[in-house]
Amino acid sequence: MHRSFESLLTVGSLVFWAIVALYAYDELALLGGASRAKYGVAFLGGILLLYIVNEFVTVFEAENPFAAPDRRSAAMQYLSSVLLVASGLVVLATTVYMFTHFDAMYVGRRGTATGFQLVLGAVFTLTMIYLTWRSFGVTFLVVLLAGIGYGLFGESIPGILGHGGITPERMLRVLVLEIEGFFGSLNRLVAAWIALFLLYAGLLKAYGAFDLILRIAVRSAKYVSSGVAQTAVLASAVIGSVNGSQTANAGMTGSFTIPMMKENGIKPSTAGGIEAVASTSGQVLPPVMGAAAFIMANLVDVPGISYVDIVIAGLIPAVILVVSITVAVHYVAAPQIDDPTMDGFFEEEKPAGEFVYDGIKFLIPLAVLIYVLGVLGYTVGTAALWTSASMIATGVLFPLAKAAYEGRDLVAELLDVGKRTVDGAREGVVVLAPVAIILAAINGVVDILMTTGVPTSISLAMMNLSGGILIVAAVLSMAICILLGLGMPTTAAYTVVALLVAPSLTGQFGLPDLSAHFFVFYAAILAGLTPPIATCAAVACGIADADFWETCKEALKISAPLYVLPFAFIYHPELVSGTFGITSLTAGGLALIGALVIIHGINFRFPLSRSTTAGTRVGFFALGVVAMVHPDLLIQGGALVATAGLHAIQSTISPDADAPDTQVPGQ
């Protein structure tokens, strides 16, 4: 039974990716020129069915899954199987019906529904609730149910957030029957743009990119005393930039980076904190930016803005983030590492030629992505298609050419790379399915909230609470973004706050659209690091077998500038303007120096008394914040002068102040 489901998943994955690739290549050639909305119906139905099949593979991994150690476990496994079968039948029936009756439901009879359609909408909504819970647990289930409950019972809510309520029939039309809601714009965006990038991520893993990244990072350890920790930063940042979920990334890369750090003497809580922050940083790195860049290009209200413009706008903040995190990781990890060189980490060392070979194999698809998007100016979907196709081409042809050169069996090599390619296609589906499910669910919640007029209510409430003071509104906005981002992957978290919070900043306070959207984007990903939920830190501490609160503390110490940087976007919009003139580079340089000052103040081991250390930390932190955020260039410069003076005093008291990795532990 287990092998049957595995075979079904394999065949289904190949067929699914063939359809996605055909649509990306020529929309008119697929399904008789179906619109993107109609294609979105088929896409969501297909990925949901593949997710259900993959869940069956998990259930039947045991030789006899129902032979559980006790009746309760056996009953739960049986119930799970029944619910999965029922979900599959509902998804199949709904997809077929909505696809074959698309014109009538999407255009002809919009605003009405038959009894059968209402039943179909109800069971599909229940199925989406179940699959959302199954893939993301209780945290997001509460968000989805709260959104539906808010729509149904809005008349019972007092104050500015109350509304007249949505009838159950209208709720089903909003969520399902008008081919919006679960099937709406975010689902279509995943189908047309994001899906093929996650196929690319699956292929990278199957062809050995993880091993290459890890080996490069280990080699760098010979030159940097914190190299083993920087390995986690590099691996998690690169992989996290394409997989769209900081939590999933922490689980994926943390499974090998955290044990590696612990083996080299880094404390479990520190290892977990480093991995959590590294996984988060990957979400903002160009060119993919955790897939959120695609959504931002659709949501930013700037005429003619493209995905490439979003990526360029994100370059300066990404540099600030990466440099500050790298330095912070060095501060906290270097004193703990037993063997900085990591000698003997791999049983077999790779010769330099192998590194060049693998590097070219993986760099060609990335070069194709940059060329097709940035130079030729093709659509994101087309760029993703050619990137994935070039990854398959290099992933297959390079090993065959190498085997021919070395005189090895070409047939055996072809079978091996063929298996890797199929594994990559399956891995792409496994990574894509949860992203597609949660974005479909988010689209449903957002459509409910938009129907009730929540964005306008939030804008008015924020204006009232802030008293029209921008900094107060910004702090409130960050708090809201963190709360709304709890338990969500990057794409989902950004989408919610972009639709609910960003309009308040642009409409009520006149911020440029890019500034507002980058503010809420960076703020939303902080939910994975912020207690008491801190899902990314929770996953990392589980792998590290560390205390949750200690892991959060370490993560917050490393990522402190990340909590300040979004405010710099507000007072220095040039940071995310996509231009590289004197103004933007000056603002970027000051923000970077300020971030490093914050890192130094929080993480340096001052050999001082407890009270003096606390005062020094506060001084460095405050000066760093002013240097990063204050709108007046003279005051920013004054903060840097004061920082130099404080550092001189510190150096006088502690002569080794510039060598944090040699300091004895202090307060």
Side-chain angles (χ1 to χ4, degrees), residues 156-233:
S156 302
I157 300 175
I160 195 171
L161 294 179
H163 60 90
I166 300 175
T167 64
E169 178 181 339
R170 189 182 178 200
M171 176 68 70
L172 294 175
R173 293 205 313 269
V174 168
L175 288 176
V176 182
L177 301 176
E178 292 180 354
I179 312 186
E180 296 296 343
F182 300 134
F183 295 96
S185 59
L186 290 182
N187 171 63
R188 296 164 202 160
L189 190 65
V190 175
W193 286 10
I194 297 175
L196 283 169
F197 276 101
L198 295 180
L199 170 61
Y200 174 50
L203 293 170
L204 283 173
K205 182 177 180 180
Y207 291 140
F210 286 17
D211 179 72
L212 175 65
I213 293 169
L214 188 58
R215 285 181 181 273
I216 292 174
V218 168
R219 284 209 168 191
S220 71
K222 299 180 184 298
Y223 310 102
V224 183
S225 59
S226 59
V228 61
Q230 303 299 349
T231 295
V233 175

Side-chain angles (χ1 to χ4, degrees), residues 271-621:
I274 290 172
E275 176 58 44
V277 176
S279 294
T280 299
S281 69
Q283 304 301 295
V284 301
L285 293 187
V288 182
M289 293 169 61
F294 309 128
I295 299 175
M296 192 182 296
N298 276 259
L299 297 182
V300 172
D301 188 19
V302 177
I305 196 167
S306 68
Y307 162 77
V308 175
D309 297 324
I310 298 296
V311 170
I312 293 173
L315 288 176
I316 293 177
V319 170
I320 296 169
L321 183 66
V322 169
V323 172
S324 61
I325 288 176
T326 300
V327 173
V329 168
H330 181 74
Y331 267 86
V332 301
Q336 302 179 31
I337 295 174
D338 296 328
D339 178 18
T341 64
M342 298 177 67
D343 288 331
F345 183 79
F346 289 104
E347 292 183 4
E348 295 182 7
E349 289 295 324
K350 245 183 185 180
E354 289 286 326
F355 277 95
V356 174
Y357 162 83
D358 282 337
I360 295 174
K361 180 172 70 175
F362 293 116
L363 283 176
I364 287 176
L366 183 59
V368 168
L369 169 62
I370 295 171
Y371 179 73
V372 173
L373 267 180
V375 179
L376 299 182
Y378 287 2
T379 65
V380 174
T382 303
L385 171 64
W386 288 114
T387 302
S388 298
S390 60
M391 186 69 261
I392 293 174
T394 60
V396 172
L397 295 179
F398 271 54
L400 289 178
K402 183 181 178 184
Y405 176 77
E406 295 175 352
R408 290 186 283 112
D409 187 348
L410 288 179
V411 175
E413 189 67 29
L414 181 61
L415 291 174
D416 181 63
V417 295
K419 181 179 181 301
R420 286 173 178 265
T421 304
V422 171
D423 289 344
R426 283 184 51 176
E427 182 66 24
V429 164
V430 171
V431 174
L432 170 63
V435 174
I437 289 171
I438 197 168
L439 284 180
I442 281 289
N443 208 142
V445 172
V446 167
D447 279 4
I448 292 171
L449 298 180
M450 299 297 280
T451 301
T452 62
V454 163
T456 302
S457 299
I458 290 178
S459 294
L460 294 173
M462 191 176 296
M463 179 62 78
N464 290 335
L465 290 171
S466 67
I469 302 172
L470 178 56
I471 186 61
V472 177
V475 172
L476 289 172
S477 297
M478 173 168 277
I480 293 171
C481 290
I482 291 174
L483 287 172
L484 292 176
L486 292 177
M488 297 189 200
T490 303
T491 46
Y494 164 69
T495 301
V496 172
V497 298
L499 292 171
L500 298 183
V501 180
S504 303
L505 297 174
T506 56
Q508 300 294 337
F509 296 93
L511 288 182
D513 276 79
L514 278 175
S515 297
H517 278 264
F518 269 95
F519 176 90
V520 299
F521 174 39
Y522 270 68
I525 65 172
L526 294 175
L529 300 175
T530 307
I533 303 298
T535 51
C536 192
V539 170
C541 81
I543 297 172
D545 193 22
D547 179 75
F548 171 73
W549 293 102
E550 284 295 319
T551 303
C552 287
K553 177 184 174 183
E554 294 293 323
L556 292 174
K557 286 166 58 181
I558 297 168
S559 64
L562 183 55
Y563 287 80
V564 181
L565 185 56
F567 295 97
F569 303 154
I570 290 180
Y571 290 101
H572 296 279
E574 61 271 18
L575 284 171
V576 289
S577 63
T579 60
F580 300 100
I582 294 177
T583 304
S584 60
L585 293 178
T586 300
L590 288 170
L592 175 57
I593 295 172
L596 296 178
V597 171
I598 291 173
I599 290 298
H600 180 76
I602 291 177
N603 295 288
F604 185 78
R605 299 185 174 196
F606 298 103
L608 307 170
S609 66
R610 184 180 297 274
S611 59
T612 305
T613 294
T616 305
R617 293 196 191 284
V618 171
F620 274 115
F621 182 85

Side-chain angles (χ1 to χ4, degrees), residues 65-134:
F66 302 124
D70 55 71
R71 290 186 177 182
R72 179 181 176 82
S73 298
M76 292 301 294
Q77 288 177 319
Y78 181 78
L79 176 62
S80 178
S81 299
V82 170
L83 290 174
L84 285 172
V85 170
S87 298
L89 293 174
V90 169
V91 169
L92 182 62
T94 304
T95 303
V96 170
Y97 182 86
M98 295 184 71
F99 190 84
T100 55
H101 294 78
F102 176 82
D103 292 334
M105 298 179 71
Y106 191 61
V107 181
R109 298 184 59 184
R110 201 172 181 84
T112 63
T114 66
F116 173 76
Q117 290 172 345
L118 291 174
V119 172
L120 197 65
V123 294
F124 186 78
T125 299
L126 291 174
T127 299
M128 283 298 299
I129 291 172
Y130 170 67
L131 294 180
T132 300
W133 167 79
R134 191 174 183 98

